[in-house]
Amino acid sequence: MKKVVVVGAGWAGLGATHHLAKQGYDVTLLEAGSYPGGLVAGWKTEKGKSVEAGIHGFWYPYRNIFSLINELNINPFTTWTRSSQYSPAGLEVESPIFQDLPKLPTPLGTFIYTKFKRLPLVDRLSALPLLYALIDFDNSDAAWRRYDYVTARELFKQFGVSARLYHESFEPMLLVGLFAPGEQCSAAATLGMLYYFILAHQPDFDVVWCRGTVGEKIFRPWVEKIEQAGGKILANQRVTDLVTDGNQVKSVVCGDEVFEADAVVFSVGITGMKKIVANSESLQTREEFRNLKNLNAIDVLATRLWFDRKVNIPLPSNACFGFDETTGWTFFDLNALHDEYRNEPGTVVEVDFYHANQFIPLSDEEIIPIVQKYLASCVPEFANAKVIDSSVIRLPQAVTHFSPGSYRHMLPAKTTFNNVFMSGDWITSRHGSWSQEKAFVTGLEAANLVVDYLGKGINANILPVEADEPHIQIGRTINSTVRSIVKSIVPDFWLP
């Protein structure tokens, strides 16, 4: 049996391992942590309460993850939920379940059905010129290179988006979607994220949530399926080096242990990959891996609070902006979302902060009052409730930072080692998906490259993103034709 070593047990690593095990490979999955799942797994506290490193939604376009759930024959999700958005001034936006409403050509449904409480129509209309950028950005390599050097803030300014629309709508989306303020986000990543999650099709912003931790509800039964198929999952195995022979990797080294490999799949986040490269003389010989030093990640703070009484939270999922200039945050009613807390006598709330640099150094005793104060600004009843238990999880350098100019340093699935393949949400891919779905898809893509390389088994069936609506397809065809004609006539005088 051909031996494959997969490094990292998140969505990408588990996806690659599962498919390769089903194809009859001798697959070993190495996880540096104490359990599979990485940042999305979740675990139990000493008191037996469930906590996790932030809440993760599952959006309507997650076609491959939903297909996996069907294959595993599990039922981990809530029904489709509505969401809202708050600022220090109070409720700003309420979103419906878009798939339940009459379908309109994109982006009209998103524009018309979203209920803005304060944002004037004239400000919302200032977003219309931005439609050209959404058509021009087709997720191709050329489009990424055109837009990646521009910041999101510059993009919105160039296309005439009003200051109020930017500050009250687009930047809040960036803070919870790309986890950074607009001046620190790539315009290419911004357009890709907005199109995939919100604008490609009317229902795309609809979301379900796990009815418990992802580790308990999804990863545990998934791991059982992988082990039944013959895959081996080993925790507490931190990769320290690779043994190479020219352009071939012969084995993966974890301290004193050596795992022979006919192929290797890396499925770790950018911070974990940079640590592996820093310890590996073999990887440091390759420019593509040395250049990963140019990539960065963002700090996240995940808090979970137990209150002594029931607080009426209008909607289960909520995003917030304006409390800190460079930080976005979300809060979730776990009594409504998680089975474990449905009959809790008090209120259980998950509050997650993104780009949380200024909060990471604070003690738990300093953080909890800040969180309660912010919650009370959105839902005043929280001011009179008492915190009876809490969990604070600091996650420095936890999620990918799609900063301007970062695309050229991101790795493709194929590397200069013939038998080493990459996966994860920071890997370049033409699929078009984002976040957890992208991680899972790139894991399957890496598994397919292993199958092609070693010549055994069949490729995983990867569902494409839903096709663009006809008017978007026509717009992109016309735009591509005009761009080609102009390029053939006009020299490249201007920077992309």
Side-chain angles (χ1 to χ4, degrees):
M1 294 173 67
K2 295 289 187 180
K3 295 182 177 180
V4 183
V5 173
V6 180
V7 182
W11 281 105
L14 289 168
T17 302
H18 188 200
H19 182 70
L20 292 170
K22 289 191 295 184
Q23 304 313 304
Y25 288 96
D26 180 358
V27 193
T28 302
L29 175 56
L30 306 175
E31 166 58 39
S34 56
Y35 46 84
L39 290 177
V40 295
W43 59 93
K44 295 282 188 180
T45 66
E46 292 181 357
K47 299 178 182 178
K49 294 182 176 180
S50 296
V51 295
E52 53 197 320
I55 293 285
H56 302 268
F58 295 81
W59 271 261
Y60 188 87
Y62 281 17
R63 305 173 77 184
N64 289 280
I65 286 181
F66 292 140
S67 177
L68 168 71
I69 297 306
N70 291 335
E71 179 184 347
L72 297 177
N73 195 27
I74 57 178
N75 180 29
F77 295 136
T78 66
T79 56
W80 300 102
T81 63
R82 296 174 56 213
S83 59
S84 59
Q85 192 175 64
Y86 290 88
S87 76
L91 180 64
E92 298 286 349
V93 183
E94 285 187 349
S95 298
I97 299 174
F98 288 96
Q99 60 194 283
D100 292 344
L101 299 170
K103 186 175 181 181
L104 300 175
T106 188
L108 288 180
T110 304
F111 183 82
I112 293 173
Y113 294 140
T114 302
K115 298 177 181 178
F116 292 91
K117 302 297 183 180
R118 292 184 176 86
L119 190 62
L121 177 61
V122 65
D123 286 285
R124 284 179 271 159
L125 290 173
S126 72
L128 290 177
L130 192 65
L131 290 176
Y132 171 73
L134 289 166
I135 290 174
D136 189 43
F137 183 81
D138 59 3
N139 198 49
S140 64
D141 179 72
W144 267 91
R145 293 185 183 278
R146 277 200 306 276
Y147 284 94
D148 190 54
Y149 294 102
V150 181
T151 71
R153 187 184 181 94
E154 289 171 322
L155 175 77
F156 293 127
K157 184 176 181 178
Q158 288 173 7
F159 281 90
V161 170
S162 76
R164 183 166 181 180
L165 178 63
Y166 173 76
H167 288 298
E168 296 185 13
S169 183
F170 284 117
E171 186 160 63
M173 292 181 198
L174 294 176
L175 287 170
V176 299
L178 293 181
F179 314 115
E183 63 272 14
Q184 298 179 29
C185 292
S186 154
T190 298
L191 291 171
M193 182 271 294
L194 289 177
Y195 191 71
Y196 179 73
F197 282 116
I198 301 173
L199 297 174
H201 308 91
Q202 183 175 302
D204 283 348
F205 194 61
D206 289 346
V207 63
V208 296
W209 307 90
C210 211
R211 298 190 347 260
T213 66
V214 174
E216 183 73 22
K217 295 292 185 179
I218 300 176
F219 286 170
R220 178 175 290 184
W222 196 8
V223 165
E224 291 175 358
K225 287 284 187 182
I226 291 171
E227 292 176 337
Q228 289 170 9
K232 297 183 289 292
I233 301 177
L234 306 179
N236 299 308
Q237 296 288 344
R238 190 173 298 278
V239 173
T240 53
D241 207 351
L242 304 177
V243 177
T244 61
D245 181 8
N247 287 333
Q248 297 285 118
V249 169
K250 295 297 184 183
S251 56
V252 177
V253 182
C254 294
D256 296 330
E257 292 194 69
V258 178
F259 299 88
E260 294 181 0
D262 295 295
V264 176
V265 176
F266 281 109
S267 304
V268 296
I270 184 59
T271 299
M273 194 66 213
K274 287 165 68 174
K275 289 178 181 178
I276 291 173
V277 173
N279 291 324
S280 171
E281 294 183 4
S282 301
L283 292 179
Q284 289 173 24
T285 64
R286 305 292 169 122
E287 182 181 12
E288 62 194 319
F289 289 103
R290 294 197 302 270
N291 283 343
L292 295 183
K293 282 287 188 180
N294 293 300
L295 300 178
N296 289 298
I298 290 169
D299 298 341
V300 176
L301 179 73
T303 67
R304 185 162 293 186
L305 275 59
W306 284 260
F307 288 92
D308 65 344
R309 67 193 68 184
K310 287 289 187 183
V311 174
N312 179 33
I313 304 173
L315 294 178
S317 63
N318 309 274
C320 306
F321 69 92
F323 293 79
D324 297 276
E325 288 188 359
T326 60
T327 300
W329 60 284
T330 52
F331 69 95
F332 304 92
D333 180 1
L334 297 190
N335 300 82
L337 296 179
H338 283 195
D339 295 346
E340 177 180 354
Y341 301 122
R342 196 166 301 277
N343 298 317
E344 190 87 5
T347 300
V348 186
V349 183
E350 174 79 16
V351 187
D352 300 329
F353 294 84
Y354 315 99
H355 203 264
N357 318 47
Q358 70 274 27
F359 292 126
I360 297 293
L362 299 180
S363 67
D364 292 5
E365 291 73 20
E366 292 171 307
I367 289 172
I368 297 304
I370 295 173
V371 175
Q372 184 171 6
K373 177 183 176 183
Y374 283 7
L375 285 171
S377 296
C378 304
V379 182
E381 290 179 52
F382 276 112
N384 298 320
K386 180 181 178 182
V387 177
I388 57 175
D389 202 356
S390 63
S391 165
V392 178
I393 302 170
R394 296 165 182 80
L395 303 158
Q397 301 290 288
V399 293
T400 306
H401 183 194
F402 294 94
S403 59
S406 61
Y407 177 75
R408 57 181 162 172
H409 302 299
M410 294 179 182
L411 293 180
K414 290 185 177 181
T415 71
T416 54
F417 290 105
N418 296 334
N419 62 339
V420 174
F421 307 100
M422 307 299 299
S423 60
D425 72 348
W426 58 279
I427 301 302
T428 59
S429 170
R430 303 278 71 88
H431 184 264
S433 51
W434 277 87
S435 194
Q436 295 176 104
E437 173 80 353
K438 181 182 178 183
F440 179 50
V441 165
T442 57
L444 297 181
E445 289 177 337
N448 288 347
L449 291 172
V450 171
V451 168
D452 293 343
Y453 176 73
L454 295 179
K456 175 182 173 62
I458 61 173
N459 282 346
N461 178 33
I462 300 173
L463 301 174
V465 295
E466 186 178 351
D468 293 328
E469 293 186 6
H471 62 291
I472 299 295
Q473 294 183 32
I474 293 170
R476 284 186 167 167
T477 299
I478 295 172
N479 179 67
S480 178
T481 301
V482 171
R483 183 175 281 280
S484 298
I485 294 172
V486 171
K487 189 174 182 180
S488 66
I489 298 173
V490 181
D492 289 334
F493 285 134
W494 298 277
L495 284 171

